[in-house]
Amino acid sequence: MDFSYTAEQEKFREELRAFLEKTSAEVFGTGAEGLGQSTASLLDVRDDARWRQLLAYHRKLYEAGYIALHWPKEWGGGGAGLVEQAIYQDEVLRLGLPLYGANQLAIDRIGPTIMLMGTEAQKRRFLKPMLTGEEIWCQGYSEPNAGSDLAGLQTRAVLEGDSFVVNGQKVWTSLAHRAHFQVLLVRTDPSAPKHKGISYLLVDMKTPGITVKPLVKITGHAGFNEVFYDNVVVPRENLVGELNKGWEVSVAMLMFQRMSAGPRQPIERILNQLIELSKEVEFGGVPAHRHPYVRQTLIRFASDAQCVSLARYRALSAHLKGKPPGPESSFGKLFASELNLRMTMFAAEMLGAYAAIENDRPNRANRDLWVRRLLNAREYTIAGGTSEIQHNIIGERVLHLPKG
Ligand SMILES: Cc1cc2nc3c(=O)[nH]c(=O)nc-3n(C[C@H](O)[C@H](O)[C@H](O)COP(=O)(O)OP(=O)(O)OC[C@H]3O[C@@H](n4cnc5c(N)ncnc54)[C@H](O)[C@@H]3O)c2cc1C
């Protein structure tokens, strides 16, 4: 395979890199608080000023035509080929920026699902404001007793004339406190087998009867929420796909979600920071980067990081051949989130007792950054389906192993 780029592609990279460096520095600043944050912690922000920065950054990405290179031109995307998309991911991840501005969920999974399965009216109504950032979206799937076993969900919607009336509760809903709209999985036929009585709705978060309550994570941030529905009226025209056939729609969306979950981890950037850290701290009585165990571990991470990049290119290339993302997208999600966790745990190992210290003062080796990263890293192995569930999917649907 030839991994070299044409002059035109190199020009695209150069212009994009200049744009990203200038724009992100202008919007976020250049210190550890500016670009040093991992992707998801930018999305985590409950702080209003930080959120406004993210919206401003989103708008600039949109105006420059970079916000959704992978969407077709017909719906306002870039209609870009494989190489341009790969270059975009490389450059954004190099700087540790969010791939899709402030509207990650809309652009990586909800918009593509509406394009695949929504009505023409839904496409015309909802897609453009996703790109501009005027309408932020969240995803109401998980419930207190339905996470890995998503099809066990109990939030109920009853069709009354031209509207559904929704009652129930969702949990762990990222961005619900910022979102204007939500995709909501509801049970519309309680008498049917559990995968068959579900429907997929698009819900305006301002509808009377919706209450959003923040949940605080171990990091101290409250990026996700409980959401309660008390006789919430949703117009029937906001049903995606057929009534009681929402499971198919939700699975399509989960595949788009997992396809983007691997690329979301700025693995190479974290690896480079880990190498820098090894030059700053001691391990076993010698500078860490001279210790054979540290060197071996870093080399292993470097080759794993290369696998993540190649898996990312493979997923992009399958997508461009027109294939909807399949169960193999679980591989990128699983491998990247577990590698991210292993790398942050190794940083803590190198830092030793310092790994437990957190304060606001900038310090050598960015020790606070690693504390936050370590606390954040576990969540990526849970969100979008846990690592155990990804193993099950790969075992059963990719490798066709017998069920245990
Ligand atoms: C940061 C973050 C953001 C999130 N954002 C959203 C969001 O925006 N919208 C949304 O709807 N949800 C969201 N979630 C919820 C997420 O999808 C669920 O947490 C996840 O699917 C797991 O479900 P659960 O928490 O109910 O755990 P459970 O399903 O109760 O699982 C508990 C444990 O049992 C294991 N387990 C369960 N079933 C099996 C099995 N069959 N085989 C092997 N092991 C199994 C799991 O791997 C896990 O270790 C988010 C979660 C996190 C951490």
Side-chain angles (χ1 to χ4, degrees):
M1 228 181 158
D2 181 4
F3 281 99
S4 56
Y5 296 98
T6 63
E8 205 179 317
Q9 287 159 352
E10 286 296 359
K11 185 164 173 278
F12 173 77
R13 181 191 295 278
E14 221 173 90
E15 285 172 6
L16 172 66
R17 181 176 290 193
F19 169 83
L20 291 174
E21 285 178 353
K22 180 169 174 285
T23 308
S24 60
E26 274 170 13
V27 177
F28 299 119
T30 50
E33 279 306 307
L35 300 180
Q37 297 263 23
S38 74
T39 319
S41 55
L42 277 173
L43 284 180
D44 244 10
V45 286
R46 187 155 282 272
D47 167 63
D48 287 341
R50 192 70 160 160
W51 178 250
R52 278 196 297 276
Q53 284 181 335
L54 199 52
L55 287 176
Y57 174 70
H58 184 109
R59 188 76 203 175
K60 284 176 191 275
L61 271 186
Y62 169 72
E63 283 163 2
Y66 291 127
I67 193 67
L69 286 177
H70 61 300
W71 280 27
K73 285 204 162 132
E74 182 191 1
W75 297 112
L82 167 67
V83 179
E84 284 73 19
Q85 289 188 44
I87 291 173
Y88 176 78
Q89 291 185 352
D90 287 347
E91 292 301 316
V92 167
L93 295 179
R94 196 177 67 81
L95 293 172
L97 293 165
L99 274 173
Y100 305 116
N103 222 358
Q104 165 88 39
L105 279 55
I107 293 173
D108 76 1
R109 66 198 78 159
I110 301 171
T113 305
I114 292 178
M115 277 180 239
L116 194 66
M117 294 174 154
T119 62
E120 280 307 299
Q122 286 165 353
K123 292 177 201 174
R124 277 198 304 277
R125 164 63 188 84
F126 292 115
L127 295 177
K128 181 147 186 237
M130 291 179 177
L131 296 178
T132 60
E134 285 160 294
E135 287 175 358
I136 301 295
W137 284 72
C138 65
Q139 174 178 350
Y141 274 27
S142 307
E143 297 184 4
N145 292 312
S148 302
D149 181 21
L150 180 60
L153 62 92
Q154 296 298 324
T155 294
R156 184 84 170 89
V158 178
L159 193 53
E160 289 180 6
D162 280 341
S163 301
F164 293 95
V165 179
V166 180
N167 283 285
Q169 185 202 336
K170 296 288 170 180
V171 71
W172 319 126
T173 318
S174 304
L175 282 180
H177 56 298
R178 303 281 184 199
H180 303 91
F181 280 90
Q182 174 177 56
V183 290
L184 187 64
L185 278 190
V186 289
R187 185 157 302 284
T188 35
D189 183 357
S191 64
K194 66 178 181 180
H195 291 88
K196 303 218 183 269
I198 291 172
S199 299
Y200 181 110
L201 304 178
L202 308 175
V203 178
D204 185 337
M205 291 296 281
K206 289 189 303 301
T207 316
I210 296 182
T211 308
V212 176
K213 291 192 181 162
L215 292 167
V216 179
K217 296 195 236 182
I218 193 170
T219 55
H221 293 114
F224 53 23
N225 306 270
E226 292 177 294
V227 185
F228 298 88
Y229 307 84
D230 180 12
N231 289 320
V232 173
V233 177
V234 181
R236 186 181 178 141
E237 67 203 29
N238 286 10
L239 171 72
V240 179
E242 290 175 44
L243 184 67
N244 297 325
K245 295 214 172 140
W247 186 248
E248 286 81 344
V249 188
S250 79
V251 168
M253 191 170 98
L254 276 173
M255 299 298 177
F256 284 120
Q257 173 170 0
R258 285 170 193 157
M259 199 171 105
S260 87
R264 257 206 338 268
Q265 308 290 337
I267 295 290
E268 280 172 37
R269 178 179 169 80
I270 296 174
L271 175 65
N272 289 334
Q273 291 174 337
L274 212 50
I275 293 168
E276 287 308 307
L277 179 67
S278 75
K279 295 179 189 161
E280 306 238 353
V281 297
E282 290 208 336
F283 190 86
V286 294
H289 70 289
R290 297 207 180 283
H291 196 288
Y293 166 69
V294 172
R295 294 171 76 87
Q296 292 283 333
T297 309
L298 290 175
I299 296 284
R300 215 169 35 244
F301 288 152
S303 68
D304 286 352
Q306 190 63 21
C307 291
V308 170
S309 294
L310 294 175
R312 182 156 66 76
Y313 298 152
R314 186 171 59 179
L316 273 179
S317 110
H319 187 51
L320 283 169
K321 284 180 195 146
K323 295 186 192 162
E328 60 284 352
S329 60
S330 287
F331 172 78
K333 192 282 185 195
L334 173 66
F335 196 64
S337 59
E338 289 290 336
L339 176 59
N340 180 46
L341 178 60
R342 279 190 283 132
M343 291 201 300
T344 52
M345 285 170 74
F346 186 63
E349 203 178 330
M350 279 199 283
L351 282 165
Y354 286 110
I357 299 173
E358 193 184 343
N359 66 44
D360 292 332
R361 273 172 291 134
N363 51 33
R364 287 180 75 213
N366 273 336
R367 287 183 178 131
D368 291 346
L369 192 69
W370 290 110
V371 176
R372 264 179 283 147
R373 282 223 174 117
L374 180 60
L375 294 175
N376 262 323
R378 184 77 57 181
E379 70 182 42
Y380 307 124
T381 67
I382 300 171
T386 65
S387 290
E388 289 77 14
I389 295 300
Q390 306 312 319
H391 277 119
N392 288 350
I393 294 171
I394 293 167
E396 287 167 20
R397 289 198 262 146
V398 180
L399 302 175
H400 304 292
L401 299 174
K403 278 197 176 188

